[in-house]
Amino acid sequence: MAIHPPAQEAVIPPAPTPPAQDRLSGRARLVLLVLCAAQFMVSLDFSVLNVALPVLGDDLGLSRSGLQWAITAFALPSGGFLLLFGRIADLYGRRRMFLTGLAVFGAASLLATLAWNPAVFLTGRALQGLGAAVIVPTGMSLLTTTFPEGPLRDRALGISGTLLSLGFTVGMVAGGTLTDTLGWRSTMGLLTVAAVAVLATAPALLTESRTPDRPRLDIPGAATVTGGLLALIYALSTAAEHGFGRTDVQVSLVAGIALLAAFAVVESRTPAPLVSLPMLRRRTVAFGNLGGLLTFSMMTTVVFVLTLYLQEVLGLSAFGTGLVFGVQGIASVAAGVYAPKVIGRIGARRTLSFSLLGQGLFIAALLGLGADSGVWLATLAVSLASVCHLGAIIAYGLTVTSGVPNEEQGLATGLVTTTQQVGLTIGIPLLGVVATARSSLLDGVRTVVAAAAVLLIVAAAVVAAGLSSRTRNADRAGN
């Protein structure tokens, strides 16, 4: 309400109230479009091959158990190098690193398109993962530093999360269509074109962004965390095909655990850590990332085994399988519209817990899949699970990055994206192998579904307890 001045004083018109910062300007929308397009492209890369795997395996000579390496070769470097590249971008320029990542990703996609044997193809996939390890954390950092915390950031992250999920689903549909019409190589060609398009428009829109000071890069921390993640991901991926009895698997597993333990020691002693241990002690960061790890790892694993089920058990074509996941995409878009509203009403923490619970329950419904029928059940259950999955994606991103100062946004978003990529990596080796190793693929799929459902439901309870008001108050009291 306006306060009227006394009559005897000259009336001075009040200064206009600045408009609420809840709308995106034209340039901000273009910046968001470019950043989301890059995230969309990376998400597309992960899924576009899923429905093409059986055809790709026949063409390049990859066994059914070896098909996971088409996914893991990408996820291994993208998960292992995320924290390192996120911190380098904080120190030396997020825009510069973002553009470099796009160039590497585009060149690697072209190599995968032209691959003439499995080794060349997997090399291209690994280089794609390296490019993604640069694109994802720098893109997220540019987003969170461009849009201030509040309605604008919530909206930007909501759009980004929607397109991330949509990219995964569009990849399934496009992968099926392209594989049936032009062959699996066209899926990699699509990524080449996408990378060139984003790289051509990004320089004119993005401005350079880095931390105000220039602390020395934490080389020991970078070496231990990168080596530890690579060793663990390699061990899990190799064990998926050959079991844990192999010497290289056991050595890699021990080395990974030892390197990550050394990383924790290094970070507690360095003045400019790669990962702030006090940040990891925040309940929002710890439990938010736990929820993110489970929602990504379980959803990608279920989609992987459903792809095999629909094609190898029910005999659907790549195009028909893509259509099943196209329905999932429509559900994800709808979820992207309504998830920010739900978060605004009940909060990101509650949304994360309820989303994990819903995702687990809908995945559990897939236990009803049969040898002769299951298309409609698979379509409905995976679509509803994806609605909850998208809610969890947006909620965990907001939970982890809220309250973090701009100079540490690269660290926070690096943790978010590392969780995402590690989740994409470990689920298929740990659970997907159950489906491919069983003599009956259907029995394997049911076992994976049951395990995923239980893990998600338990995670929902743990996250809810960890982010409850009582434990948050205890956190503040302890500080």
Side-chain angles (χ1 to χ4, degrees):
M1 179 180 295
I3 300 176
H4 297 286
Q8 66 272 21
E9 295 182 8
V11 177
I12 301 174
T17 303
Q21 297 298 313
D22 59 354
R23 291 189 177 183
L24 298 173
S25 66
R27 182 177 180 82
R29 291 182 180 181
L30 291 175
V31 170
L32 181 60
L33 176 63
V34 167
L35 296 177
C36 287
Q39 302 285 354
F40 179 90
M41 177 184 68
V42 173
S43 178
L44 188 72
D45 188 3
F46 178 79
S47 65
V48 75
L49 271 179
N50 269 14
V51 296
L53 287 177
V55 177
L56 182 151
D58 291 341
D59 187 33
L60 291 181
L62 285 170
S63 65
R64 191 172 76 177
S65 59
L67 289 178
Q68 62 156 336
W69 279 101
I71 305 299
T72 303
F74 171 83
L76 182 65
S78 67
F81 289 97
L82 272 170
L83 281 175
L84 174 61
F85 287 134
R87 190 54 172 163
I88 290 175
D90 281 347
L91 299 179
Y92 301 107
R94 295 163 182 142
R95 175 183 181 273
R96 179 185 304 170
M97 291 296 295
F98 181 75
L99 297 177
T100 301
L102 285 171
V104 172
F105 187 91
S109 298
L110 180 60
L111 179 62
T113 303
L114 302 175
W116 52 91
N117 60 40
V120 174
F121 174 73
L122 294 177
T123 299
R125 291 290 288 162
L127 291 174
Q128 281 181 323
L130 196 65
V134 182
I135 294 169
V136 173
T138 53
M140 282 291 289
S141 293
L142 286 168
L143 188 150
T144 55
T145 53
T146 300
F147 301 98
E149 189 171 336
L152 281 183
R153 184 182 293 178
D154 291 357
R155 185 178 178 189
L157 285 173
I159 294 171
S160 177
T162 301
L163 289 178
L164 183 69
S165 180
L166 183 61
F168 181 86
T169 306
V170 168
M172 301 295 286
V173 178
T177 303
L178 291 172
T179 300
D180 274 359
T181 55
L182 301 176
W184 68 265
R185 293 179 188 276
S186 62
T187 62
M188 295 292 97
L190 174 65
L191 296 172
T192 306
V193 173
V196 170
V198 177
L199 186 60
T201 55
L205 292 170
L206 301 178
T207 56
E208 191 56 276
S209 168
R210 59 170 62 91
T211 53
D213 53 349
R214 297 286 292 275
R216 189 173 296 178
L217 181 64
D218 176 20
I219 299 295
T224 50
V225 72
T226 301
L229 287 172
L230 287 173
L232 277 181
I233 294 170
Y234 172 80
L236 294 174
S237 300
T238 306
E241 187 173 1
H242 301 289
F244 286 93
R246 285 180 35 155
T247 302
D248 60 334
V249 171
Q250 296 171 352
V251 170
S252 296
L253 196 60
V254 172
I257 295 172
L259 285 170
L260 291 179
F263 171 69
V265 174
V266 169
E267 297 307 277
S268 66
R269 297 178 178 179
T270 183
L274 188 66
V275 173
S276 169
L277 293 183
M279 179 185 292
L280 287 177
R281 288 194 290 268
R282 294 181 184 180
R283 288 181 177 270
T284 52
V285 173
F287 288 98
N289 276 303
L290 174 63
L293 180 69
L294 266 295
T295 193
F296 273 108
S297 60
M298 295 303 101
M299 197 68 210
T300 53
T301 302
V302 167
V303 168
F304 175 77
V305 298
L306 276 183
T307 300
L308 298 178
Y309 165 79
L310 291 170
Q311 293 190 57
E312 298 191 19
V313 176
L314 298 186
L316 262 65
S317 65
F319 177 71
T321 302
L323 289 181
V324 170
F325 295 105
V327 177
Q328 176 195 17
I330 296 172
S332 298
V333 171
V337 173
Y338 289 102
K341 298 179 181 179
V342 173
I343 292 171
R345 183 178 294 272
I346 67 173
R349 298 176 180 91
R350 289 182 179 177
T351 303
L352 176 57
S353 300
F354 287 136
S355 296
L356 291 170
L357 177 61
Q359 185 180 346
L361 293 175
F362 287 122
I363 285 176
L366 292 170
L367 290 170
L369 295 175
D372 301 319
S373 63
V375 173
W376 291 110
L377 174 59
T379 303
L380 180 62
V382 78
S383 297
L384 293 175
S386 292
V387 169
C388 298
H389 172 59
L390 185 60
I393 291 175
I394 298 173
Y396 108 88
L398 289 173
T399 299
V400 173
T401 59
S402 63
V404 178
N406 277 347
E407 60 269 19
E408 292 187 350
Q409 279 295 332
L411 294 176
T413 55
L415 287 172
V416 169
T417 50
T418 296
T419 295
Q420 170 188 320
Q421 292 301 316
V422 171
L424 293 174
T425 304
I426 65 173
I428 293 174
L430 284 177
L431 293 181
V433 66
V434 175
T436 57
R438 291 287 186 90
S439 56
S440 168
L441 180 59
L442 179 57
D443 289 343
V445 169
R446 287 172 175 163
T447 303
V448 169
V449 163
V454 169
L455 287 171
L456 284 165
I457 293 169
V458 171
V462 172
V463 169
L467 297 178
S468 67
S469 57
R470 181 187 304 174
T471 52
R472 292 199 308 273
N473 290 336
D475 249 1
R476 287 192 287 268
N479 293 333

